């Protein structure tokens, strides 16, 4: 009796395992799949969708094309979103470029960011829905409205990338530099995505009936995966360095002062830079028709003054053709409150707002006296007056006269203008001679150049180190984003010109700084964890499809008496009835 009872228990246990297998094999997450199919295909009823059978492709020929276009649109949107996100440092330059072409000021950079984020979110949701449907073994059918939207996104980003490459192609240099600090983290993100994609890839790989179809599925996936595993071998970042090898923090030079807290090139703007403990002041100098050097970046007065109110007929006239008595009567601060120049403006107190509204055009002599009192270095772009200007040929002489009048310490002046440099050196030998482009070290030394003022796109750790070895320091402009400042810091820059003195002053160390050992550990650990998870997913799918899909030797469902022993206590509904009533169209199990 004991042996018979044990056999009976084993038989019942075996039959229970069979039921559980068939439940696992045939059970579907009906609400979840219906939601996915409804959002992706607008097919909310179950009979409107189809489940792929073993050996069957994920979708028909036309749908395969649309799925590939959807993936391409997602990739283009991702590239543009990354491009525009990393270009934040230069949003003001883009808006100013747009202003020159359109004639009125608007934060186009912010508008583009919002539009791009919305379009990217749309295609990203469609891609996620498609991947989830594939993971559930469902056939793909993209609704015609989504097809239209996807094609619009695809064409939009192709046109946007082409237009930006043509009009603002130099910005790609910022993307190249961004990889030096973000590549290790992009590597982790890419492997995370590939690990998630292994679920549908493994599912269809296991379900394919022929070696050729399996090879077509697995080959591109493995190729991309191996590339990502080995990609860190070619990565370079100056922020991956041994402890103790990091140089001093770069000095901060306020670009036209502090233009996010005060109107650019005004007294208030430079006083804000001094308040935030900036190390230097940068500006742009133009000479009036009666020989008064003043601070102005644009060639006209339209953007940064109220010239359209005071002198409406002079909005398009070069500012250098106006005498100082007209210039000093213009307001140079109201525009800052009415048309903010940055999307990320600092909050101003009521007192600061009132001060900003009452700013006037700033004279060079006053600018130099302020810098001398605060012991701040100064660097300025000196614009040569246009044709027919009274000081067209004597602009350098006139500027030197004003510098002498200001009585500023010569060591505080970074002389940037390349015209008449030998004459300037003879008159003011104490100036720090600064050049605005790269040159051979021998030529720089022979011309007594002690500093280079370069756009950040020309940043190179090797060149900076080579110049530093000859006591030639490097200033990079304009750097306002923390990640870009971190890269300049790690590259050995001596100073940077920035719109964000207040923010960069607070940084205690570069972002993304790590030792080579930490980087190698992160790289290897990420690769190993990813490989283990992907292997586990493939094994799981093989076990489910090759193991659970096998039926018992007899296709007969176990006797009803067995099922009746597992009745629901309240409703007395047998399990077999539930399966047949809830899922009448489940495919029959095939003996293998």
């Amino acid at each position: 009796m004991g042996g018979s009872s044990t056999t009976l228990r084993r038989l019942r246990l075996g039959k229970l395992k069979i039921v559980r297998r068939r439940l696992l094999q045939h059970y579907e997450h009906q609400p979840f799949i219906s939601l996915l199919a409804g959002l992706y295909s607008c097919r909310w009823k179950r009979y409107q969708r189809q489940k792929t059978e073993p050996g069957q492709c994920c979708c028909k020929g036309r749908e395969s094309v649309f799925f590939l276009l959807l993936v391409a649109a997602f990739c283009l949107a991702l590239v543009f979103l990354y491009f525009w996100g990393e270009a934040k440092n230069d949003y003001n330059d883009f808006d100013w470029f747009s202003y020159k072409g359109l004639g009125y000021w608007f934060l186009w950079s912010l508008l583009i960011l919002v539009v791009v984020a919305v379009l990217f979110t749309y295609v990203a949701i469609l891609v996620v829905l498609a991947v989830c449907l594939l993971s559930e073994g469902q056939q793909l059918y993209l609704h015609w409205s989504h097809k239209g939207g996807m094609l619009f996104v695809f064409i939009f980003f192709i046109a946007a990338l082409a237009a930006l490459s043509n009009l603002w192609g130099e910005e790609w240099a910022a993307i190249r530099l961004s990889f030096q600090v973000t590549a290790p983290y992009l590597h982790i993100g890419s492997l995370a995505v590939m690990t998630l994609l292994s679920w549908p890839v493994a599912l269809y790989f296991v379900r394919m009936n022929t070696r050729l179809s399996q090879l077509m599925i697995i080959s591109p996936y493995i190729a991309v995966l191996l590339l990502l595993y080995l990609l860190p071998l070619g990565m370079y970042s100056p922020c991956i360095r041994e402890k103790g090898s990091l140089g001093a923090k770069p000095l901060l030079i306020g670009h036209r002062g502090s233009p996010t807290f005060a109107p650019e090139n005004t007294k208030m703007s430079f006083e804000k830079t001094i308040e935030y403990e900036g190390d230097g002041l940068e500006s742009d100098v133009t000479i009036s028709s009666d020989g008064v050097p003043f601070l102005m970046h644009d060639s006209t007065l339209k953007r940064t003054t109220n010239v359209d109110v005071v002198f409406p007929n002079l909005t398009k006239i070069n500012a250098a053709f106006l005498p100082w008595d007209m210039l000093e009567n213009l307001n140079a601060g109201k525009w800052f409150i009415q048309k903010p120049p940055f999307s990320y403006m600092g909050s101003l107190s009521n007192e600061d707002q009132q001060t900003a509204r009452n700013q006037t055009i700033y004279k060079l002599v006053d600018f130099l006296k302020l810098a001398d009192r605060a012991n701040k270095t100064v660097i300025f772009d000196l614009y040569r007056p246009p044709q027919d200007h009274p000081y067209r040929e004597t602009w350098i002489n006139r500027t030197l006269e004003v510098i002498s009048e200001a009585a500023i310490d010569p060591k505080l002046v970074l002389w940037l203008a390349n015209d008449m440099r030998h004459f300037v050196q003879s008159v003011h030998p104490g100036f720090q001679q600064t050049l605005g482009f790269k040159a051979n070290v021998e030529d720089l030394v022979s011309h007594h150049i002690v500093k280079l003022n370069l756009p950040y796109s020309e940043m190179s750790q090797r060149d900076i180190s080579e110049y530093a070895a000859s006591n030639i320091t490097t200033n990079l402009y304009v750097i306002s984003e923390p990640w870009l400042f971190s890269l300049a810091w790690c590259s050995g820059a001596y100073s940077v010109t920035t719109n964000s003195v207040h923010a960069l002053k607070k940084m205690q160390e570069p972002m993304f700084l790590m030792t080579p050992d930490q980087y190698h550990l992160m790289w290897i650990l990420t690769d190993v964890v990813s490989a283990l998870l992907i292997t586990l997913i493939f094994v799981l799918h093989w076990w489910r499809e090759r193991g659970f899909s096998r039926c018992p030797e007899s296709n007969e469902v176990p006797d009803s008496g067995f099922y009746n022993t597992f009745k629901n206590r309240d409703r007395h509904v047998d399990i077999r009835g539930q399966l047949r009533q809830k899922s009448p169209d489940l495919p029959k199990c095939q003996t293998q």
Side-chain angles (χ1 to χ4, degrees), residues 517-589:
D517 290 340
Q518 291 173 333
Y519 170 63
H520 293 149
L521 177 62
M522 182 177 71
W523 166 31
I524 295 173
L525 187 62
T526 302
D527 286 1
V528 170
V529 171
S530 171
L532 289 176
L533 289 176
I534 291 173
T535 302
L536 180 63
I537 290 172
F538 270 81
V539 170
L540 175 62
H541 276 294
W542 179 88
W543 178 60
R544 289 181 62 188
E545 297 298 321
R546 300 304 186 201
F548 276 4
S549 63
R550 287 200 178 106
C551 297
E553 293 184 1
S554 173
N555 286 330
E556 295 296 329
V557 180
D559 61 276
S560 58
F562 168 74
Y563 278 99
N564 289 334
T565 60
F566 295 97
K567 289 181 179 179
N568 184 289
R569 291 182 179 179
D570 298 324
R571 295 186 176 182
H572 299 282
V573 180
D574 69 302
I575 297 175
R576 181 173 57 183
Q578 288 181 353
L579 285 174
R580 288 178 177 172
Q581 291 175 11
K582 291 186 177 182
S583 303
D585 58 343
L586 286 175
K588 294 182 178 180
C589 185

